[in-house]
Amino acid sequence: MTLALNEQQFIQKVNDLRKSGTVDLSLEEDLSIAIMNLVSLEEHFFFTAEKTKKEEYFDLLSRVREMRKSLLARMIEVTEGETWCISKHLLAASMRLMEVGTKLQGEKKKSEAKEMFDKAYELYSLFWMLRLKLVSTSELKTERNDGPRTEEDLINKLLDCCKE
């Protein structure tokens, strides 16, 4: 995916965000990874409950789900459309693709692993673009051309801008 936003517009948005002091990227990155793992735990409790036919795993699933919801609420407002749910699924898909990439890498399938890692990072970057409101959905484009930057490029730029 590419962005209709140019680099100067993006840098201005990043600078505005930094001046506001409202986001601790290090803390929020850790929190996003924790949310990914909670989504995975929900899935594992579901499958374990079904495979073992033990209802107590559904109780654990519910407890983990409530925790995930409260933590995601710290990062994502329930606002336009399905942004909340989109964010959850972007994180979940990113985590799963990282796991697939790791398994492929362990099988010495490095090019396939790299492809999965790239896709995982693309989804993770898109999550951050939405989370930080650096782009609106109207600024996202699916075609590639020479002008717009990819969201990965812009997130990398953001992280470079925020190094201490």
Side-chain angles (χ1 to χ4, degrees):
M1 240 181 248
T2 57
L3 300 171
L5 200 62
N6 70 35
E7 188 171 351
Q8 286 180 332
Q9 292 169 316
F10 176 77
I11 298 226
Q12 183 59 49
K13 286 188 174 195
V14 168
N15 286 335
D16 292 346
L17 182 66
R18 290 174 66 201
K19 286 178 190 172
S20 73
T22 58
V23 177
D24 179 341
L25 288 177
S26 175
L27 179 137
E28 291 213 10
E29 185 175 23
D30 287 343
L31 186 56
S32 71
I33 300 297
I35 292 166
M36 286 180 183
N37 281 286
L38 290 169
V39 170
S40 288
L41 279 170
E42 289 177 64
E43 294 166 353
H44 286 297
F45 283 133
F46 166 77
F47 285 114
T48 300
E50 287 298 321
K51 289 174 182 177
T52 65
K53 305 297 183 208
K54 293 182 178 177
E55 296 287 321
E56 58 264 27
Y57 288 107
F58 287 123
D59 296 334
L60 293 170
L61 183 155
S62 294
R63 287 178 58 191
V64 169
R65 182 174 186 270
E66 290 305 314
M67 186 182 300
R68 189 254 313 147
K69 285 171 39 181
S70 71
L71 293 174
L72 189 58
R74 292 176 62 147
M75 298 187 80
I76 302 295
E77 300 172 27
V78 179
T79 56
E80 181 177 270
E82 296 188 10
T83 307
W84 167 278
C85 207
I86 290 166
S87 297
K88 175 185 73 172
H89 290 292
L90 284 169
L91 290 175
S94 179
M95 175 65 126
R96 284 289 172 225
L97 288 171
M98 282 188 273
E99 289 185 8
V100 169
T102 300
K103 288 177 184 178
L104 289 169
Q105 193 171 33
E107 296 171 2
K108 308 292 187 228
K109 297 177 181 177
K110 292 191 179 218
S111 65
E112 290 177 59
K114 174 78 167 95
E115 181 183 349
M116 293 301 118
F117 291 146
D118 289 347
K119 290 179 185 306
Y121 194 70
E122 181 179 349
L123 293 175
Y124 191 63
S125 296
L126 186 53
F127 163 79
W128 279 103
M129 297 301 283
L130 293 172
R131 159 61 189 105
L132 297 174
K133 298 179 183 164
L134 294 172
V135 294
S136 66
T137 53
S138 65
E139 292 171 317
L140 294 173
K141 299 170 79 173
T142 55
E143 72 275 359
R144 292 206 180 256
N145 58 40
D146 293 337
R149 310 271 296 193
T150 66
E151 58 270 5
E152 299 95 85
D153 292 338
L154 297 177
I155 289 298
N156 287 336
K157 183 77 171 169
L158 172 65
L159 295 176
D160 285 345
C161 291
C162 295
K163 286 183 180 174
E164 292 185 41

